Structures are given as C-alpha cells and as structure tokens.
C-alpha cells in the first residue's frame, strides 16, 4: 500500500509540474503574440527607411522633427532598439531622437559593395539632409561611438556635441596593442570562440529566440530581439547573420589580418574600425564631448588613462565620466546614471550654444 501511495504521489507531482509548465508556456505564447503585435504597431509609428547611396537604411525616430536633434548609433551585434529605454525621456527634454541601424544589424542589410565606418557616416549625413537637419548631437556605443567619431571627422559642421559610450574616444586597438603578439593571439582566439558560440545559437522560431535570450519581462528587450534575429540559410533564427564576416571576425586568421595588416585586409568595415585615430581627429576638438568610461576588474577596454589625457587636452570641452565596477554594457547595467549624465551634458551643450 505504501509503495502504491508513493507511486501515486510521484505521478501527481509530475502531472502538476507538467500542467504548470504547460500553463507557463501558454502564458508566454500569448504574451509573445501580444508583444509582437505591439512591435509591429511601434514600427509603423517610429520605424522608417531611407535609400542612401549605400543601402536601404532602417532607423527609429521619437519626438517632433522640430525638436533638438540627437542621433544615436548602436554597437556591434546590437541595433537601434538599444536606445528604446531612453528615447522618451529625452523627448520630454525637447529632443528629436534618431537611432539608426547600420549594415547587417536590425533591419538594414549589408550592401553588396565594400563599406566602412565612414560609409555609415555618409548614410547619416544623407539622412540628415533629407530631414533638413543642419546640426545635431551625435552619440554611440562601442563601434557606434567610432561611427560618431568618423562622422565628426568627415562632417564637423553638422556636430553640436558628442556622447561616446566606451568607444570612439580612443583608438580601438589601444588596449590590445599593449599586449605581446602571442598574448593577443590567445585573447583573440578566445574572443572569437565565444563570439561563434553566441552567434551559433539557433532557434526554430522567433518565440524560441526571444524566450532563449531575454524572456518576456522587458518590452524593450523583446523589441530588440525581434529586430536582431534573422533567418539564416538553414532556416533557423540567429542574431545578425553575416556580420562576423563584415567586421572581419569569422576566424582567427582573418581577424589577425584585420588587426595587424588593416591596409591589405579585404574587410574594409573591420579595418576602418582598427585604423580610426581619435587622437588625430580630435586634435582640434571644438564641440562639447561626454566620454562614458566603464571600468572593471576584467575590463577589455582599459583606456581610462588615454581618455583622461584627451580630457586634459580639451578641459573646456571634454567631460570624462568614469563608471566603476561596470562592464562594457554600461547603459544596460547603469541606465539611470546613464540617462542622468546624458541629460546633464545636453544642458551644457545648450548653454554653450546660447553663448
């Protein structure tokens, strides 16, 4: 009798667990359907496309076109929705916010011709001209910060101020150039292996992709995932297929060529990232700049000394804000401080413009 009761208890427990899992799956499915519908509506309002000389570029906009323009450029393997959580707050401050998707990210395809960071800058300039925007504040995260720097280099008269989130204020290769060739090779192999593992995640459906990466709690994360995942040649959902090839990180040998021999590499987008020289570009800086510099024990971008040197060279223009115990994903980890610092900086830009 005791054995029968034990088996019955196990059966009831497993049935209850299965029912709970089924119920959760049903709830997640309904939430996904609802959020996907909201995403489609959101794109209808905030999503736009423009055919530039390079590509049909997707971008998001928030606020009134008569507002003060602010252009944001995302990091590698991200997209315009990385700025989703901050746009409304800036609109309330009177800004017209634009966030672009560059090549292979979000809803912007990779062009058939060779393109560089400066090509993205050209796309942004093309967009601003179409929108009749003569000047704007430019910001970006990581590689997006490098795009903002390239834009300033090429079109300085369009720039009112710069917000550089862990990218663009110092040459991208600075930290790694301090390593020996052997140490850098080991580090690069590890990074590429981790990247392949991340990009190698394949999902059968959008639902599985969202559930497997961010879940269904944060609408901004869901919107980001819906923009990030695309169908690969195998019919699976993956993040930004072909971007690794675009930036020259499909394999170790390819990346070492981009890094050590950028001028003979056939990966122009990747080599333009390596050869970008903010030290030269900002030698005559004449607009306000906010450098958001996260540092941590395992910081892969240890450039606080170089950022401090840039600030010292332009004390009237550069604000160097250090975030201790913070990773490269600064605004995801410290969103409130990120927004507070941006709004404070923007007020300084406005005061500078008023003089």
């Amino acid at each position: 009798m005791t054995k029968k009761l034990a088996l019955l208890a196990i059966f009831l427990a497993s049935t209850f667990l299965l029912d709970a899992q089924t119920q959760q799956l049903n709830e997640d499915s309904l939430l996904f359907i609802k959020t996907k519908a909201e995403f489609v509506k959101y794109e209808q309002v905030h999503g736009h496309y423009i055919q530039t000389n390079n590509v049909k570029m997707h971008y998001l906009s928030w606020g009134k076109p008569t507002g003060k323009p602010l252009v944001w450029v995302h990091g590698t393997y991200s997209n315009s929705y990385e700025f989703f959580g901050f746009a409304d707050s800036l609109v309330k401050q009177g800004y017209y916010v634009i966030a672009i998707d560059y090549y292979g990210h979000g809803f912007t395809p990779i062009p058939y011709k060779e393109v560089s960071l400066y090509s993205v800058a050209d796309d942004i300039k093309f967009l601003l001209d179409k929108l009749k925007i003569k000047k704007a504040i430019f910001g970006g995260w990581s590689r997006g910060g490098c795009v903002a720097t390239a834009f300033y280099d090429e079109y300085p008269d369009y720039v009112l101020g710069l917000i550089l989130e862990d990218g663009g204020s110092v040459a991208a290769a600075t930290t790694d150039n301090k390593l020996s060739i052997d140490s850098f090779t080991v580090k690069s192999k590890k990074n590429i292996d981790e990247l392949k593992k991340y990009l190698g995640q394949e999902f059968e459906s959008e639902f599985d992709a969202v559930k497997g990466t961010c879940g269904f709690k944060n609408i901004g994360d869901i919107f980001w995932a819906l923009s990030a995942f695309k169908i690969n040649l195998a019919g699976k959902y993956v993040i930004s297929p072909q971007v690794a090839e675009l930036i020259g990180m499909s394999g170790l040998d390819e990346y070492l060529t981009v890094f050590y021999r950028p001028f003979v590499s056939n990966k122009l987008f990747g080599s333009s990232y390596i050869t970008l020289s903010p030290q030269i570009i900002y030698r005559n800086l004449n607009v306000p700049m906010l450098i958001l510099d996260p540092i941590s024990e395992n910081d892969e971008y240890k450039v606080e000394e170089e950022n401090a040197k840039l600030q010292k060279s332009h004390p009237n223009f550069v604000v160097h804000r250090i975030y201790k115990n913070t990773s490269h994903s600064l605004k995801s980890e410290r969103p409130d401080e990120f927004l507070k610092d941006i709004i404070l900086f923007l007020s300084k830009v406005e005061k500078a413009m008023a003089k």
Side-chain angles (χ1 to χ4, degrees):
M1 187 67 178
T2 304
K3 186 176 180 180
K4 289 182 178 180
L5 288 174
L7 291 172
L8 178 61
I10 294 173
F11 172 76
L12 291 174
S14 61
T15 301
F16 177 79
L17 179 61
L18 183 60
D19 288 344
Q21 291 174 338
T22 302
Q23 182 180 352
Q24 184 62 51
L25 181 61
N26 290 336
E27 290 177 0
D28 288 346
S29 297
L30 290 173
L31 183 57
F32 172 76
I33 293 171
K34 178 177 179 293
T35 308
K36 179 66 182 290
E38 291 176 0
F39 176 73
V40 172
K41 290 181 180 179
Y42 196 87
E43 270 290 320
Q44 290 173 346
V45 175
H46 298 282
H48 315 278
Y49 290 88
I50 184 169
Q51 180 65 55
T52 74
N53 294 326
N54 298 313
V55 74
K56 185 176 181 180
M57 183 174 72
H58 173 266
Y59 67 98
L60 297 171
S61 70
W62 298 268
K64 297 179 180 179
T66 53
K68 297 164 286 190
L70 187 154
V71 178
W72 188 261
V73 189
H74 61 81
T76 311
Y77 291 107
S78 186
N79 57 63
S80 52
Y81 277 96
E82 77 172 37
F83 214 62
F84 171 87
F86 308 99
D88 286 343
S89 295
L90 293 173
V91 168
K92 291 177 182 178
Q93 298 290 323
Y95 285 86
Y96 177 53
V97 181
I98 297 170
I100 71 155
D101 286 334
Y102 59 80
Y103 316 131
H105 298 78
F107 295 113
T108 298
I110 296 176
Y112 291 106
K113 62 181 181 179
E114 282 290 323
V115 285
S116 71
L117 297 185
Y118 282 82
S119 303
V120 184
D122 294 340
D123 294 333
I124 295 172
K125 195 260 187 184
F126 187 97
L127 171 62
L128 295 184
D129 287 344
K130 287 294 183 180
L131 296 177
K132 301 186 185 309
I133 295 174
K134 295 182 179 181
K135 290 180 178 291
I137 294 164
F138 292 82
W141 173 48
S142 193
R143 196 178 299 253
C146 294
V147 171
T149 293
F151 188 95
Y152 179 79
D153 187 29
E154 194 69 15
Y155 307 108
D157 292 340
Y158 278 70
V159 182
L160 293 170
L162 292 153
I163 302 169
L164 305 179
E165 181 191 356
D166 211 17
S169 57
V170 178
T174 298
T175 301
D176 291 329
N177 273 331
K178 298 173 184 178
L179 301 175
S180 67
I181 293 177
D182 289 342
S183 295
F184 176 69
T185 301
V186 171
K187 176 185 175 182
S188 298
K189 185 179 185 307
K190 179 183 177 182
N191 289 343
I192 289 174
D193 287 344
E194 290 176 352
L195 179 63
K196 286 183 177 180
K197 184 177 179 181
Y198 173 66
L199 299 178
Q201 297 179 94
E202 294 185 338
F203 299 93
E204 296 293 333
S205 66
E206 277 189 314
F207 171 81
D208 293 332
V210 172
K211 184 177 180 179
T213 52
C214 62
F216 301 100
K217 292 182 179 180
N218 186 295
I219 192 169
D221 290 342
I222 298 173
F223 282 10
W224 179 91
L226 289 171
S227 181
F229 280 91
K230 300 293 179 289
I231 299 176
N232 65 9
L233 296 176
K236 309 292 185 181
Y237 282 84
V238 297
I239 291 178
S240 302
Q242 298 180 319
V243 168
E245 183 178 353
L246 173 74
I247 64 177
M249 291 191 72
S250 294
L252 180 60
D253 289 342
E254 180 178 77
Y255 183 61
L256 292 177
T257 300
V258 168
F259 189 87
Y260 285 116
R261 306 179 67 192
F263 297 108
V264 298
S265 167
N266 63 354
K267 302 297 179 181
L268 183 59
F269 198 84
S271 62
S272 67
Y273 173 68
I274 295 297
T275 57
L276 190 76
S277 182
Q279 185 178 7
I280 295 174
I281 294 170
Y282 292 129
R283 68 193 183 282
N284 295 319
L285 179 70
N286 61 0
V287 297
M289 173 189 290
L290 173 62
I291 299 174
L292 302 174
D293 190 358
I295 61 175
S296 61
E297 185 177 344
N298 299 314
D299 190 359
E300 288 194 21
Y301 303 93
K302 296 180 180 179
V303 293
E304 54 267 26
E305 290 183 11
E306 289 79 6
N307 280 328
K309 185 177 180 180
L310 180 60
Q311 193 281 328
K312 189 175 181 179
S313 298
H314 305 286
N316 296 326
F317 288 116
V318 177
V319 177
H320 181 202
R321 172 78 165 87
I322 292 178
Y323 290 68
K324 294 183 178 180
N325 301 316
T326 306
S327 76
H328 188 49
S329 302
L330 189 158
K331 64 179 168 295
S332 296
E333 293 182 18
R334 311 278 284 275
D336 294 338
E337 291 177 63
F338 172 82
L339 181 61
K340 181 180 178 181
D341 284 338
I342 284 182
I343 291 176
L344 180 62
F345 173 74
L346 291 175
S347 68
K348 293 181 178 181
V349 175
E350 291 182 29
K351 290 178 181 178
M353 290 169 55
K355 291 181 180 180

